[in-house]
Amino acid sequence: MRAENFNQLMPPQAKADMLSVLSFMESLGDELENSSELFASTPNLRITMHLIRGHLEGRLTTMTSLIGASRAPYATANRRIKDMQEAGLIDQRPRTETGKSFSLHPSVQLLEQWTQLTSRVQRLASSQFGGTATDASSDYYFGESYLSAKSIPPMKVLAEPLKLAGGLRVLVHGDPTFMVMDNLKRQFEQTIGTQIHQRAFSIDRLREETLRNASRKSSNYDIIAVDLPWVGGFAEKNVLMPLDEVMDIARIDPADFHTAGWQAAHWGGRAYGIPAQTTPELLFYRKDLFAQAGLQPPATTQELLRAAKALHDPQRGRHGIAWNAARGTALGHTVLMTLADFGQPILDLASNAGGFDTQHLADRDYRITIDTPAGLQAAEFLKELLNYSPPDILSMSWYERIRPYAAGKIAMAYGYTLLAPYFELDDASPANDQTGYLPHPAGPNGAPIAPVGGYVMGIPANLPKERVAAAVEALLVFTSPAAQKLYVQNGSRTNPRYSVGSDPDVRRLSPIFEAVDGMSWRDELQFWPRPPIPEIDEIIQICGEEFHDMLRGIISPQDALRRAQERADATLQPPT
């Protein structure tokens, strides 16, 4: 059995436990080593922990990074790594045909050993610090003690108020989460010690205003919200400031973010924003209607179509499913996500254990893949969905698809988690407390995924230098675990951090957080369906136009694919 298979077969809770124990042992090692020079680091342990973490988080480990993680002199670390390879604990895999470039991975033997160690550490922690186990506490495990039972304290007022002439200026998207932030403005003003001026726009106007602001000599905003697919283009156009230029990235606590959300904030290996919302698009479905009809929650596209047909009853004012089908941006997003459901990324990305590799997008060595056999399957699937959709489906976008679902007129709907308050916080909604949350059902060549959407918050590249330091401090406050918990407590249903999703106060508010955490541990949260390349906005618009003509019956699926491919190919620019 290969290590990749070991990881795929690992239950979500086992993976969570391993990461919890890793964090604990890394922190304990740091405390010991920092307390006295006599407590030298143990290279083999550091090497092992780096390998295990990289494997679980889907990050590539090279000889250079492993030697650095060992905290030992080069020769010593190199010798220890060779010893571990000879002992069958480390696998080496070529990255090129010559084999001169290679990556390092934990072997199945090492993974099994670490799994056993995780269990032993949990038992030791339980017996030493958790008291004697009783029937009521027999399910205690170290990860639960370390993460789930820890309630995040409220925000603390900054020791020094931020000094910003005219106050803090923020540009955001007009969605429920950022509106919660606006409602809490007084509380945040008290925390940071200055006034906050927030402007909110629709998604298309937000992009226009951000680009207009970037053309100014001096930014009108200290912090801007950026839709994940825009990150690459904004980095290339110098719209955003690389965060490592103005702050210590460790202050963000990157390991606390959902992996897909944190990776999506990067371009060319550098972070250009901090996740403010990680909001995957899920399939919402009415558990009560499914139970009445004797249906199981759909795991495949065929099962989804069968369920939509069975629950579609226009004569009684109920339709099977709602989705983003309005011309342009809305439908374009649906097209990219549906391609992904059928195992087809919009680009010719190399496959990896988590889906597809997006680490080298900044090299601009990619081509667009729309007109393919999987693309035809996706197009025909969307055409079939029309049969079980409301009559106004071709004008439905972000909110229009959720409102009728909340009103009980739709049995299923694709929707971002940020839209769940429309029914979760409405006691009169038939979907209230009756909604189940699933990743996208998969097509024949795909796997269940939850395409990650949401926003990062970043610093404009043209922000005057004298405002940057204060903007960074405000950014850290807005994206902190305490702030994220506060958003959730006031109605938000997005969360980019593991610690917030594990908070017992948060878990009690909605089942959506446990569902999303489970998807994250199963590697179902993915951002490759909408890769943040500079051309992505044009590609989305093109797909939203050509596929809309297809859905209206003006052109065939084959013509829609061909035309979308030709127009999208014309957007590609050579690397600069």
Side-chain angles (χ1 to χ4, degrees):
M1 182 175 64
R2 294 175 65 90
E4 299 99 317
N5 296 331
F6 184 98
N7 197 20
Q8 292 166 3
L9 295 171
M10 186 184 300
Q13 191 57 63
K15 186 175 180 180
D17 290 349
M18 290 178 74
L19 284 168
S20 297
V21 170
L22 265 175
S23 298
F24 170 71
M25 293 184 70
E26 287 167 346
S27 299
L28 179 61
D30 289 341
E31 292 294 331
L32 290 172
E33 291 166 25
N34 293 333
S35 65
S36 172
E37 294 181 358
L38 296 176
F39 296 137
S41 64
T42 306
N44 291 60
L45 181 58
R46 291 286 181 185
I47 289 168
T48 299
M49 291 192 295
H50 189 74
L51 279 169
I52 297 290
R53 182 175 289 282
H55 179 73
L56 294 177
E57 295 180 351
R59 291 186 286 104
L60 197 67
T61 301
T62 63
M63 179 66 83
T64 301
S65 66
L66 201 55
I67 288 173
S70 72
R71 302 187 185 180
Y74 181 91
T76 301
N78 190 62
R79 187 171 60 252
R80 297 295 180 87
I81 293 170
K82 296 297 183 186
D83 289 343
M84 293 178 71
Q85 285 181 304
E86 291 176 3
L89 300 177
I90 299 178
D91 291 338
Q92 178 175 311
R93 296 178 199 160
R95 298 172 61 191
T96 60
E97 291 183 4
T98 64
K100 292 181 179 179
S101 178
F102 56 85
S103 58
L104 298 172
H105 307 263
S107 68
V108 171
Q109 179 183 347
L110 181 57
L111 285 168
E112 289 175 344
Q113 290 177 359
W114 191 266
T115 302
Q116 294 172 7
L117 176 64
T118 296
S119 179
R120 290 195 294 271
V121 170
Q122 291 169 344
R123 289 198 299 272
L124 284 171
S126 177
S127 61
Q128 293 296 322
F129 304 113
T132 304
T134 63
D135 290 340
S137 63
S138 59
D139 290 335
Y140 173 93
Y141 61 90
F142 185 72
E144 184 176 46
S145 171
Y146 188 71
L147 291 174
S148 301
K150 187 175 181 180
S151 184
I152 297 168
M155 289 191 302
K156 294 181 180 179
V157 174
L158 295 181
E160 294 287 336
L162 299 183
K163 295 179 175 60
L164 284 166
L168 183 77
R169 303 169 307 206
V170 186
L171 176 65
V172 299
H173 180 229
D175 63 45
T177 294
F178 285 123
M179 291 304 95
V180 165
M181 186 176 175
D182 190 50
N183 295 337
L184 297 168
K185 188 173 75 167
R186 292 291 179 88
Q187 190 165 342
F188 280 98
E189 288 177 338
Q190 183 179 12
T191 300
I192 65 176
T194 191
Q195 285 187 317
I196 298 173
H197 307 285
Q198 178 169 301
R199 297 187 73 190
F201 291 114
S202 65
I203 186 169
D204 291 327
R205 287 192 61 204
L206 174 64
R207 181 179 173 82
E208 292 171 5
E209 175 62 15
T210 302
L211 292 173
R212 188 181 302 116
N213 181 67
S215 67
R216 299 177 178 126
K217 182 179 179 181
S218 180
S219 174
N220 283 358
Y221 308 99
D222 300 296
I223 295 173
I224 53 178
V226 176
D227 194 17
L228 292 183
W230 302 343
V231 170
F234 283 6
E236 294 276 323
K237 294 176 182 177
N238 199 34
V239 174
L240 291 171
M241 188 179 294
L243 293 183
D244 56 9
E245 287 186 359
V246 293
M247 67 181 297
D248 178 5
I249 297 295
R251 296 183 66 192
I252 303 172
D253 190 11
D256 190 32
F257 290 102
H258 288 293
T259 304
W262 177 240
Q263 289 176 345
H266 287 68
W267 183 254
R270 306 178 78 180
Y272 283 85
I274 305 177
Q277 299 180 23
T278 296
T279 176
E281 184 178 85
L282 308 179
L283 179 68
F284 303 156
Y285 71 98
R286 286 281 300 277
K287 294 188 293 185
D288 54 338
L289 298 181
F290 269 68
Q292 291 168 15
L295 295 169
Q296 293 296 315
T300 68
T301 51
Q302 283 303 311
E303 291 173 1
L304 172 70
L305 290 170
R306 284 196 291 269
K309 181 179 181 180
L311 297 172
H312 188 61
D313 192 354
Q315 300 301 319
R316 297 186 179 182
R318 189 178 72 204
H319 301 279
I321 190 165
W323 40 292
N324 259 7
R327 187 177 184 84
T329 303
L331 178 57
H333 283 270
T334 293
V335 171
L336 267 63
M337 293 180 184
T338 306
L339 286 171
D341 296 342
F342 284 83
Q344 172 73 65
I346 194 69
L347 303 176
D348 59 335
L349 303 175
S351 61
N352 62 20
F356 293 90
D357 183 14
T358 56
Q359 294 188 34
H360 306 290
L361 291 175
D363 297 340
R364 307 292 293 277
D365 183 22
Y366 49 75
R367 64 181 183 86
I368 297 168
T369 49
I370 299 174
D371 192 2
T372 66
L376 182 58
Q377 288 181 313
E380 291 173 340
F381 169 73
L382 290 177
K383 283 203 70 173
E384 194 165 353
L385 274 187
L386 284 178
N387 298 326
Y388 317 116
S389 301
D392 58 342
I393 187 65
L394 294 182
S395 63
M396 279 190 173
S397 59
W398 319 102
Y399 301 100
E400 288 82 2
R401 57 182 170 168
I402 298 303
R403 290 190 180 110
Y405 175 81
K409 299 177 181 179
I410 309 289
M412 295 180 287
Y414 285 108
Y416 286 110
T417 60
L418 69 85
L419 300 175
Y422 278 103
F423 51 85
E424 281 202 350
L425 302 181
D426 181 2
D427 291 338
S429 169
N432 180 277
D433 204 32
Q434 291 294 340
T435 296
Y437 302 104
L438 296 172
H440 279 218
N445 298 310
I449 59 170
V452 169
Y455 288 81
V456 299
M457 299 186 82
I459 309 292
N462 58 339
L463 183 66
K465 291 183 179 179
E466 65 271 14
R467 300 181 70 89
V468 170
V472 167
E473 295 305 315
L475 182 60
L476 288 168
V477 170
F478 292 154
T479 58
S480 67
Q484 294 290 341
K485 178 178 177 179
L486 191 62
Y487 302 150
V488 172
Q489 290 174 317
N490 285 270
S492 170
R493 289 300 179 263
T494 74
N495 164 47
R497 290 181 176 270
Y498 289 115
S499 60
V500 178
S502 298
D503 185 289
D505 301 327
V506 168
R507 292 260 180 165
R508 282 191 288 269
L509 293 173
S510 170
I512 208 165
F513 298 110
E514 184 174 359
V516 170
D517 272 358
M519 294 176 203
S520 182
W521 294 124
R522 293 191 298 271
D523 284 333
E524 292 171 349
L525 260 59
Q526 297 289 337
F527 79 96
W528 58 260
R530 297 184 306 159
I533 58 174
E535 303 88 356
I536 196 65
D537 199 54
E538 290 179 86
I539 294 170
I540 288 172
Q541 184 68 26
I542 289 166
C543 289
E545 292 170 357
E546 298 297 345
F547 277 69
H548 199 266
D549 286 348
M550 177 198 76
L551 293 173
R552 291 168 59 204
I554 297 174
I555 59 177
S556 68
Q558 291 84 353
D559 286 341
L561 292 166
R562 177 182 53 79
R563 289 166 54 165
Q565 181 74 55
E566 291 173 355
R567 291 180 62 192
D569 284 340
T571 68
L572 292 181
Q573 301 294 326
T576 56

